[in-house]
Amino acid sequence: MRPGSRAHVVGLARDYGVYVALGLLVLVNLVLTPNFLSVDNLRTQAVQVVPVLVVALGMALVIGTKGVDLSVGSVMALAAAVLPLYLGYGPVLAVVICLAVGAAAGVLNGSLVAFVGVQPIVATLALLVGGRGLALVISGGQLREVRNPEVRELGSGSVLGVPNTVLVAVVLVVVVALLVGRTTFGRQLVAVGGNPKAAEFAGLPVRRVLVGVYVISGVLAAVAGVLATARLGASDPSRLGELVELSAITAVVVGGTPLTGGRVRVLGTVAGAVLMQLITATLIKNDVPASVAQMAQALIIVAAVLVQRERGAA
């Protein structure tokens, strides 16, 4: 195969591979999985993918700047721990405080990366460990039931048959897509990820952009924590958000956003999150152990990274 043709094929695989894989997986389920297209099953899959999808939206922005945020699971746990403490003042204020906690985590991560010069994986790893511990201290290490009717309605209610959590996720997808594609901040984000030194020489606010993406990632992780807590009807900081950072990174990378930065594929991230969810659900529904599902996800990650590497080499 000629070098130009090879580059073209690799580019198509990177840009559209996730959609082809998702389509093939749907076809496989139509054949192998009973009641795959039933309303109950589709609703279940949609609800289950929401936390990972919401976190992945923020992760895509961070990876677009050539960074990574490993603290998102702990931020989810922090939001879950804080939510019950302030529900007595009303659900709106409680949720706002949770989002403020996520923003504060983002400011910490972003400041370490942008101003101190700490590598993103190191800066966010610190909060990955410390944030989970703080959440356990706040909650006393105990599961707390959430009885507020508004919060429960957020987690279990629906509008025209569409779960509230799914509607929130759809709105966030639209907002992030517009942020990336239609705003100055989105263009600056891509420029910083592509070449931070050139962006700085061009007068772009590189540090402000870096802090901004980590703040957005933290806020979206907090949103995911609130949604997951509302769905469960209980706050469980010891388990909530465990390994969600890996699932989010997988969704982003499989969706076509390169780890080298300089590009953000929002719709690809959505497709990546849905693909990972369906792979796990498909294997489990067909009596395949969950460990095999994890191995399948690992292979998909390797394949996606190799495609990106080939694209870069081409």
Side-chain angles (χ1 to χ4, degrees):
M1 183 180 294
R2 292 177 301 174
S5 300
R6 179 183 176 184
H8 180 66
V9 171
V10 172
L12 289 176
R14 187 196 65 179
D15 294 340
Y16 302 105
V18 64
Y19 305 110
V20 174
L22 186 58
L24 291 175
L25 185 58
V26 170
L27 291 177
V28 169
N29 274 282
L30 289 175
V31 175
L32 298 180
T33 306
N35 302 318
F36 174 71
L37 289 181
S38 66
V39 174
D40 288 342
N41 181 61
L42 294 179
R43 179 188 177 98
T44 298
Q45 301 306 322
V47 169
Q48 289 181 346
V49 79
V50 164
V52 172
L53 172 56
V54 172
V55 171
L57 292 173
M59 188 70 73
L61 301 182
V62 174
I63 291 178
T65 62
K66 205 181 298 185
V68 68
D69 188 353
L70 299 181
S71 69
V72 286
S74 294
V75 174
M76 284 182 66
L78 279 169
V82 168
L83 182 64
L85 299 181
Y86 295 94
L87 281 176
Y89 299 97
V92 174
L93 178 60
V95 170
V96 169
I97 292 175
C98 290
L99 301 186
V101 169
V107 169
L108 175 60
N109 287 331
S111 297
L112 288 174
V113 173
F115 295 102
V116 183
V118 179
Q119 289 294 321
I121 193 171
V122 176
T124 59
L125 181 62
L127 191 55
L128 164 68
V129 178
R132 179 77 61 178
L134 179 59
L136 292 175
V137 170
I138 292 173
S139 66
Q142 297 180 347
L143 185 147
R144 297 185 179 183
E145 184 178 2
V146 175
R147 300 179 179 179
N148 183 276
E150 287 86 358
V151 174
R152 283 185 170 271
E153 177 65 18
L154 173 64
S156 60
S158 61
V159 177
L160 299 177
V162 181
N164 292 333
T165 54
V166 175
L167 290 175
V168 172
V170 170
V171 170
L172 292 175
V173 169
V174 173
V175 170
V176 173
L178 292 175
L179 177 68
V180 172
R182 300 294 182 88
T183 68
T184 301
F185 178 82
R187 291 188 288 272
Q188 291 174 342
L189 183 161
V190 172
V192 170
N195 192 327
K197 290 185 177 180
E200 189 170 6
F201 287 146
L204 298 183
V206 174
R207 292 179 176 176
R208 189 171 66 193
V209 169
L210 289 175
V211 174
V213 295
Y214 283 96
V215 168
I216 294 172
S217 180
V219 170
L220 289 175
V223 170
V226 171
L227 294 176
T229 300
R231 176 176 169 244
L232 294 172
S235 169
D236 186 11
S238 64
R239 299 295 301 275
L240 190 68
E242 279 189 327
L243 300 181
V244 73
E245 59 276 357
L246 301 183
S247 298
I249 293 171
T250 302
V252 173
V253 173
V254 170
T257 298
L259 291 170
T260 52
R263 188 176 188 181
V264 178
R265 293 180 59 85
V266 177
L267 292 181
T269 297
V270 175
V274 174
L275 177 65
M276 294 298 103
Q277 170 61 31
L278 283 184
I279 288 175
T280 302
T282 300
L283 295 177
I284 291 176
K285 283 179 176 294
N286 288 279
D287 299 323
V288 178
S291 57
V292 177
Q294 293 175 335
M295 293 170 62
Q297 290 182 353
L299 291 174
I300 292 174
I301 296 172
V302 172
V305 172
L306 288 176
V307 168
Q308 291 183 5
R309 181 180 179 183
E310 287 291 326
R311 177 67 168 175

